[in-house]
Every structure is written in structure tokens, then in C-alpha cells.
Amino acid sequence: MRMTIGAAAVLGVAGLAMGQSCDPTQIFAPEVRYDAGRQTEAVAIGDLDGDGNTDLVVANLQSRGVGVFLSNGDGTFASEIAYGAGFQPYSVAVGDLDGDGDADLAVANGDSDDVSILLNNGDGSFASQVRYSVTDSARAVVIADLDGDGNADLGVSDRLGLVNVLFNNGDGTFASSVLYGAGDVSVSIATGDLDGDGDADLVVANLESNDVSVLLNNGDGTFADAVFYDVGNRPTSVAVGDLDGDGDADLVATNSFSGNVSVLLNAGDGTFEPDMLFEAGTRPSSVAVADLDGDGDADLAVVGAFVGDEARVLLNNGDGTFAPDVLYEVGDTPRSVAAGDLDGDGDVDLAVANSFSSDVSVLLNQCGNATGCPADLDGDGDLTLFDFLEFQNLFDAGDPVADFDGDGSLTLFDFLEFQNQFDAGCP
């Protein structure tokens, strides 16, 4: 049975030991906007030039390309540098595709039915795209090591309701796609270890069938048949994170026509409880999972074609339920949101791709970690073995909170950055 929680919901269980750490209406400073190409459809983050700062990349639907914004090191960004992609790029992902330690780009192109690979030259500039065919109207792409060989593979969802899996040849080139059924008009894809076996599984949002499909990894990069879970009306986006703090990877989907998000808690074995619904405004289209208020719980940032054009923040009550949304102004018709530390101060900021105003909004967090100490993951004010255990739990669950290097993927570099933060101590 589905539980619906609306605007009358009240704050419940406090997050970990700290509870909420700041005024929900004051978490983010007013947006700063950066001009991008025509019809900015998606945004992703990562350290693209290897300087330790988190940069931005956007997919510009009508410009047929991607735009790179290199960080100035303080949460501001240089002007966009444009690179060509395919026809109607809907989605962009960041990851090391050729194993050289640099962050490369993968772009899902809707009208050219392919995915563009742009390899990093080592300095945050990119080689010309190489395109790989997928099935009809690619809509979303994720990067993950799907077959456990140490190389980053691709998962691409499309409007036919298929998932294309493209295995890495080990050098940033890719084999022909292997297809799996996913649902009816699969517009979003995410990855994480959903069943706790150490493999990267896939989850897809299916626009027409009003569900999400879970494809569990058999351990070798092949996938079991999709298992379907009902969500709201016309889901547009899906994300993975530990929402109730039990160490398992949960799911959240935005439902565009019902104006809410579905939260599906993991039963502990890669199956999911019936969804709980939380109001999220008009036509939500994208969701990011991260600890936005620094209390140790995974919160939600949601954007979509809202009246007034806002990003909405839903703070976690500490148990996988969420407080009523709080609004922050962004650009015209926001389509995509990404969360990460954009100014290097240890807390989670937001980047939002605004389709109709063709720009990206940056919202810097002014709330901070609850203890002022990023490595204090259990929120007790001290750095102990328990913080290491909490990091391991977050990493194993695929939780974005464990993305300590801010590149949008969980790798050995996150362990190293966590160790650096731990060694730096607390103020």
C-alpha cells in the first residue's frame, strides 16, 4: 500500500546524532547563473582539469554539443567552452573512460541514436567526439564498471524501453551494445549496488508505464530480467542513495504528472518496499540525492518546470521520510540538477541546468557540515573508527555522500580524499 505525505507533513526523527543543522530556507545562497548553449538540458559535475576543484559540464539540446565550465577554485566558473556531440544531447555523465586518471565525458544523443565519447586531453580540454550506436532515441547515460574488470562501462536508456550496455575495451573505446528490456519509454537511468553483492546494478525510470525497473547484475556484467515497481504518474528521473541510513541503497523517482517524488526503501536484498509519495511541485523532472544540511542524512534536491522556476529541497527526517519542500529560485524551466562540493568548503552545493534560459544556476551551500568537519560522517564531533565504517557503508550503498572527490562516481580516489579529510582533523 502506498503512503502519501503532503505539505502537512512535520519533521520526525532527527538525523543521526545531530538533527537538522540550519534553517531550511537559508541552506543556499542566491543563485549565480552562467550562460550556456541553446536549451541546456542536463548538468553533471567532476574535476575535469585535475586541479582538485569541481567543474561543470552541460548538455545543450539545440546546440548539438556539451559545454564545459572550469572552476576558478572558489565556486565561480569560467565561461563555457563548447564541444560537439550528436543530435539533441539529452544527458551527460563524467568518468574515467580510458583509465588515465582524467575525467572523460559520455553523452546520450536522442536524435542521432548514439552516445558520444569525449576523452580528456589531460588538462580539462577534450578530444573530438567518437560516437557509438545505440537503439532508438537515447535519453540517459551512466558510467560504471558493470563487468568488474576495472574499466568504466556505459549504460544507456532509450525511448524504446531498452537498456544498452556498452562494455569498455579497456582503452576508452566500446564494444557494440547488449540490450535488456526495461519498460515503456525509459527516460532515466542510475546505477548503484542495490543488492549488496558488490556489483553495479541498474535502475530505470519508465515514463509511459509509470514504474521503475531494477536490473540486478549477475556478477559478470549481464543482468537479470527487470523487476518493476510502481511509482507516480509519468516518472522522469531516478536516483540512488541510502535514504533511511540502514546501509542499503534506496531509490527515488520524480513523477512529472503527479507532481511528487516516489521514495522506495530497500528491503535489504535489492527488492523494494511500495513507494512513499512526497509533494515536489509542478512537473518535477530531475532529482539529486545528497546531504544538503550537513546532518548526516541523505536529502533530495528536485527541479522541474515549476511555476516560478525553483529548485526544491526536501530534507530528510532521519528515517527516509521527508519534510515539506523549500524553494530556491533558479533559471527558466530547470531540467536537471547535480549535487557536489563546488567551492571546496566541504559542504554540498547545487548546479541546475535551465532549459529555456539556456544557462546553469549555481547555488552555493551556506549551511555547512553539521560539525564543520566533512569526514565526521556520524556527526558526533569526533573523528573515529565509526566515521570510517560510515564511509564504507555509504560507498557500498552507492550513496553520493561518499563522493568525496566530487567527480560524480565512487572510486578509489574517494577513499583517498576521505583519508585526507580525516587526517586534516576537525576544527
Side-chain angles (χ1 to χ4, degrees):
M1 180 177 180
R2 178 179 297 172
M3 184 190 331
T4 301
I5 301 177
V10 295
L11 295 179
V13 179
L16 296 179
M18 297 300 297
Q20 287 189 206
S21 61
C22 62
D23 183 347
T25 67
Q26 300 296 318
I27 295 174
F28 296 99
E31 62 162 336
V32 177
R33 284 156 70 175
Y34 297 85
D35 290 337
R38 292 173 54 203
Q39 199 170 340
T40 309
E41 193 74 10
V43 61
I45 65 174
D47 181 4
L48 303 180
D49 56 0
D51 65 353
N53 302 313
T54 303
D55 309 303
L56 307 177
V57 58
V58 297
N60 297 313
L61 193 69
Q62 296 302 323
S63 298
R64 298 180 180 177
V66 294
V68 169
F69 297 83
L70 296 179
S71 175
N72 295 321
D74 58 358
T76 66
F77 295 85
S79 297
E80 180 188 46
I81 303 170
Y83 296 89
F87 298 147
Q88 290 201 325
Y90 276 102
S91 171
V92 60
V94 178
D96 182 6
L97 300 178
D98 55 1
D100 64 355
D102 302 317
D104 308 304
L105 306 179
V107 186
N109 304 308
D111 270 12
S112 49
D113 304 333
D114 52 27
V115 58
S116 296
I117 301 301
L118 292 82
L119 296 181
N120 198 320
N121 294 321
D123 58 359
S125 67
F126 292 86
S128 297
Q129 62 171 322
V130 177
R131 283 153 67 175
Y132 296 85
S133 295
V134 295
T135 45
D136 185 61
S137 191
R139 291 301 298 266
V141 59
V142 292
I143 297 172
D145 181 6
L146 300 177
D147 56 1
D149 66 353
N151 301 312
D153 309 304
L154 306 177
V156 181
S157 64
D158 69 17
R159 288 188 64 86
L160 289 180
L162 298 172
V163 169
N164 296 252
V165 173
L166 292 83
F167 292 117
N168 196 322
N169 295 321
D171 57 0
T173 65
F174 292 85
S176 298
S177 62
V178 180
L179 302 179
Y180 295 88
D184 193 354
V185 185
S186 302
V187 294
S188 176
I189 187 170
T191 186
D193 183 6
L194 303 181
D195 53 2
D197 64 355
D199 303 315
D201 307 304
L202 299 174
V203 58
V204 179
N206 301 307
L207 187 74
E208 295 291 343
S209 48
N210 297 329
D211 52 31
V212 296
S213 48
V214 171
L215 291 81
L216 295 180
N217 197 322
N218 294 321
D220 58 0
T222 66
F223 292 85
D225 290 341
V227 178
F228 298 90
Y229 296 89
D230 290 337
V231 293
N233 194 355
R234 295 180 71 82
T236 50
S237 173
V238 64
V240 177
D242 182 6
L243 301 178
D244 55 0
D246 65 354
D248 302 317
D250 308 305
L251 306 178
V252 58
T254 56
N255 304 310
S256 60
F257 277 22
S258 48
N260 49 29
V261 295
S262 290
V263 170
L264 297 88
L265 298 181
N266 197 322
D269 58 359
T271 65
F272 294 86
E273 303 291 343
D275 67 333
M276 298 180 289
L277 296 177
F278 300 87
E279 293 180 3
T282 304
R283 300 290 180 91
S285 61
S286 176
V287 59
V289 179
D291 181 9
L292 302 178
D293 59 354
D295 66 353
D297 302 317
D299 309 304
L300 306 179
V302 181
V303 300
F306 308 123
V307 176
D309 297 321
E310 292 97 6
R312 295 180 180 239
V313 169
L314 288 76
L315 295 181
N316 198 322
N317 295 322
D319 58 358
T321 67
F322 292 85
D325 54 1
V326 177
L327 279 60
Y328 292 86
E329 291 186 4
V330 291
D332 189 355
T333 313
R335 296 287 196 196
S336 172
V337 59
D341 185 3
L342 301 181
D343 55 1
D345 65 353
D347 51 31
V348 179
D349 311 302
L350 299 179
V352 178
N354 305 307
S355 179
F356 284 10
S357 52
S358 296
D359 52 26
V360 57
S361 295
V362 171
L363 294 86
L364 296 181
N365 196 318
Q366 54 190 10
C367 175
N369 179 273
T371 63
C373 184
D376 181 22
L377 293 176
D378 65 358
D380 66 355
D382 294 312
L383 296 183
T384 66
L385 173 63
F386 293 106
D387 297 298
F388 274 93
L389 296 176
E390 181 62 17
F391 176 82
Q392 183 70 60
N393 288 337
L394 293 167
F395 188 95
D396 290 344
D399 196 310
V401 174
D403 183 18
F404 264 63
D405 67 354
D407 69 350
S409 61
L410 299 184
T411 66
L412 173 64
F413 294 108
D414 297 298
F415 279 92
L416 298 177
E417 182 59 26
F418 173 77
Q419 181 71 62
N420 289 338
Q421 295 285 351
F422 188 94
D423 291 343
C426 287

